């Protein structure tokens, strides 16, 4: 096992602006780290630099304390699982899993032992003599995992490995990969654009945008204490609601135009220096409810109903205040007409505040 360290890493292509800029990140030994962000944020490029498939333009990448900038991919002791499985169609499962070991001149006995162990671990022993075209998407993904496992690398790299699977199989496979990590205890770096995947799988998550890290933290911290509006809006489904409000200069209230929100205790003191200024109020949909029963500090708002999304026993309400579109949550038992005025309750105990200009989180100690 090994840790992975990025030190001021930059990646540029020709004279274009850097794709990755000033990347500093320490992935701990045995950690499951997820790199997440929108398409084009640089997460796959970061992974490919670790693998040696992309050169580092500036800075250093270390694996297990060894700088690997000039080390060939085959000598980095890593294994990579790709989005498209990358299986050889003319080889059966056993041959696909064994191929890398054959190239490294392992003995037949050792190859058979490793392939059989990995197949048993992934429950694909019955498919060892089948060709990839005879397998389902989930089975092919297990073969790709098995081919990586037999290498016994110090670091596993995953580049959006579940994106080709259907929704139900994705849920199953992400559970299996997480269980695999617990069994092997090996450092794993996992790239995805799916924030639900990131939240359910990662020990820690690195949130990226435009080649820059916005926050590195545990899933629970990212949810409860996002560093800025980008992280707050990206983590959580549906995304966080953002309202531009003004902190009243003479009394502890927020003004949105169509309604007024009282500030209590800690929030009032935290926003003291913002009096008379605009700030961004963040509220997650699950903290805007049609009943005040489960709100610690409910604030009533009357909003216009635009559309609903029913998800079994609950539904999301897409509402409009006139100045903002707001997503809330309700039981699916109640029906709301389009255009209907609905009373909802925002739980201000769960509110987040961000500077209107920079988007950075306003901390309690400010």
């Amino acid at each position: 096992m090994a840790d992975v360290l990025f030190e001021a890493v930059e990646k540029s292509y020709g004279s274009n602006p850097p794709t990755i800029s000033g990347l500093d990140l320490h992935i701990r030994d045995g950690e499951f780290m997820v790199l997440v962000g929108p398409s084009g944020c640089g997460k796959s490029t970061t992974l490919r630099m670790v693998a040696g498939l992309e050169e580092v333009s500036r800075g250093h990448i270390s694996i297990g304390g060894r700088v690997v900038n000039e080390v060939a991919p085959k000598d980095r002791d890593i294994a990579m699982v790709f989005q498209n499985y990358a299986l050889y169609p003319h080889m059966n499962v056993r041959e696909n899993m064994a191929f890398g070991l054959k190239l490294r001149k392992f003995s037949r006995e050792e190859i058979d032992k490793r392939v059989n162990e990995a197949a048993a671990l992934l429950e694909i022993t019955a498919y060892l003599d089948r060709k990839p075209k005879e397998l389902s998407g989930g089975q092919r993904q297990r073969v790709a995992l098995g081919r990586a496992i037999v290498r016994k690398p110090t670091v596993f790299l995953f580049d959006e490995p579940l994106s080709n699977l259907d929704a139900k199989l994705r849920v199953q496979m992400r559970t299996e990969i997480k269980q695999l990590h617990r069994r092997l205890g090996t450092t794993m770096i996992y790239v995805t654009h799916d924030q639900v995947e990131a939240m359910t799988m990662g020990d820690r998550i690195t949130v990226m945008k435009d080649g820059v890290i916005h926050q590195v933290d545990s899933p629970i911290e990212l949810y409860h204490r996002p560093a800025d509006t980008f992280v707050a809006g990206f983590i959580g489904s549906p995304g966080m609601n953002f309202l531009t409000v003004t902190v009243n200069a003479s009394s502890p209230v927020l003004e949105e135009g169509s309604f007024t929100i009282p500030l209590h205790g800690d929030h009032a003191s935290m926003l003291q220096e913002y009096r008379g200024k605009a700030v961004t109020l963040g509220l997650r949909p699950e903290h805007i409810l049609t009943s005040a029963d489960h709100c610690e500090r409910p604030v009533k708002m009357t909003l216009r109903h635009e559309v609903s999304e029913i998800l079994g026993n609950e539904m999301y309400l897409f509402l409009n205040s006139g100045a903002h579109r707001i997503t809330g949550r309700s039981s699916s038992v109640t029906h709301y007409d389009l255009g209907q005025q609905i009373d909802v309750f925002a739980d201000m105990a769960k509110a987040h505040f961000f500077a209107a200009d920079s988007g950075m989180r306003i901390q309690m100690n400010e």
Side-chain angles (χ1 to χ4, degrees):
M1 294 190 292
D3 59 350
V4 178
L5 181 64
F6 297 81
E7 297 177 285
V9 170
E10 184 175 299
K11 177 61 182 177
S12 301
Y13 296 95
S15 59
N16 296 314
T19 302
I20 304 293
S21 181
L23 184 69
D24 291 300
L25 177 64
H26 183 205
I27 300 171
R28 302 161 187 156
D29 184 17
E31 183 174 35
F32 195 119
M33 172 66 80
V34 178
L35 308 182
V36 69
S39 297
C41 73
K43 55 190 183 295
S44 289
T45 301
T46 301
L47 195 75
R48 290 172 65 83
M49 286 193 292
V50 178
L53 302 178
E54 296 277 2
E55 293 184 359
V56 176
S57 302
R58 191 172 297 172
H60 299 93
I61 296 178
S62 303
I63 299 176
R66 177 180 66 148
V67 176
V68 296
N69 289 40
E70 305 300 326
V71 177
K74 66 183 180 62
D75 298 322
R76 296 193 180 196
D77 200 14
I78 57 94
M80 192 163 181
V81 180
F82 296 92
Q83 176 180 346
N84 62 356
Y85 319 135
L87 302 177
Y88 297 107
H90 63 287
M91 296 182 183
N92 64 26
V93 169
R94 185 187 301 277
E95 292 166 337
N96 265 285
M97 292 173 65
F99 185 71
L101 300 180
K102 286 182 178 178
L103 292 180
R104 289 165 176 78
K105 308 299 183 183
F106 280 79
S107 69
R108 167 51 60 188
E109 292 75 16
E110 181 65 17
I111 292 174
D112 287 343
K113 177 185 175 184
R114 293 194 182 195
V115 169
N116 290 332
E117 286 177 349
L121 181 65
L122 296 167
E123 299 181 354
I124 55 173
T125 302
Y127 311 128
L128 287 174
D129 295 322
R130 296 188 187 182
K131 297 286 181 63
K133 67 180 180 181
E134 302 174 68
L135 305 176
S136 68
Q139 291 164 349
R140 292 180 193 179
Q141 191 55 269
R142 287 188 180 89
V143 176
L145 286 170
R147 185 176 54 189
I149 290 170
V150 298
R151 295 269 310 279
K152 297 187 176 179
T154 56
V155 179
F156 282 93
L157 307 177
F158 297 88
D159 190 8
E160 304 206 41
L162 308 184
S163 59
N164 288 336
L165 303 179
D166 63 60
K168 183 177 180 181
L169 195 52
R170 284 178 71 129
V171 173
Q172 178 184 339
M173 284 302 301
R174 74 189 186 208
T175 301
E176 292 184 7
I177 291 174
K178 189 61 180 173
Q179 290 174 339
L180 179 66
H181 174 252
R182 293 195 184 102
R183 291 171 189 161
L184 299 177
T186 310
T187 306
M188 294 186 176
I189 309 175
Y190 188 103
V191 162
T192 181
H193 65 275
D194 185 335
Q195 56 92 13
V196 175
E197 232 171 69
M199 292 289 284
T200 55
M201 297 180 74
D203 295 331
R204 286 193 301 158
I205 301 171
T206 299
V207 184
M208 299 179 68
K209 180 187 179 187
D210 298 332
V212 175
I213 292 176
H214 280 241
Q215 189 170 356
V216 183
D217 227 320
S218 66
I220 198 72
E221 281 296 307
L222 286 176
Y223 178 82
H224 288 293
R225 296 183 60 80
D228 55 30
T229 51
F230 172 72
V231 177
F234 192 82
I235 298 297
S237 182
M240 183 181 288
N241 298 291
F242 296 114
L243 290 76
T244 301
V245 295
T246 301
V247 184
N248 188 283
S250 57
S251 60
V253 298
L254 301 174
E255 298 169 336
E256 191 269 348
S258 59
F259 47 81
T260 299
I261 301 173
L263 287 170
H264 296 276
D266 49 0
H267 287 163
S269 60
M270 181 179 71
L271 297 175
Q272 183 74 28
E273 66 178 87
Y274 292 89
R275 286 197 168 188
K277 300 177 182 178
V279 298
T280 300
L281 165 63
L283 286 164
R284 296 199 180 277
E286 50 268 41
H287 301 140
I288 298 178
L289 305 170
T290 52
S291 169
D293 294 345
H294 300 290
C295 295
E296 186 178 338
R297 292 183 191 168
V299 171
K300 182 180 174 180
M301 298 185 290
T302 302
L303 307 173
R304 181 168 58 86
H305 175 238
E306 293 188 332
V307 69
S308 300
E309 286 186 355
I310 298 177
L311 303 170
N313 68 332
E314 65 178 17
M315 64 180 173
Y316 285 104
L317 303 175
F318 295 89
L319 311 165
N320 198 313
S321 71
H324 299 92
R325 287 185 173 176
I326 298 172
T327 306
R329 196 177 72 178
S330 171
S331 165
S332 62
V333 174
T334 307
H335 171 76
Y336 298 101
D337 295 326
L338 297 182
Q340 180 180 345
Q341 295 295 312
I342 302 174
D343 290 337
V344 295
F345 299 87
D347 189 352
M348 289 301 293
K350 304 296 194 304
H352 304 260
F353 295 94
F354 305 92
D357 51 357
S358 67
M360 299 302 295
R361 182 183 186 82
I362 300 173
Q363 304 286 356
M364 283 291 185
N365 58 0
E366 288 187 1

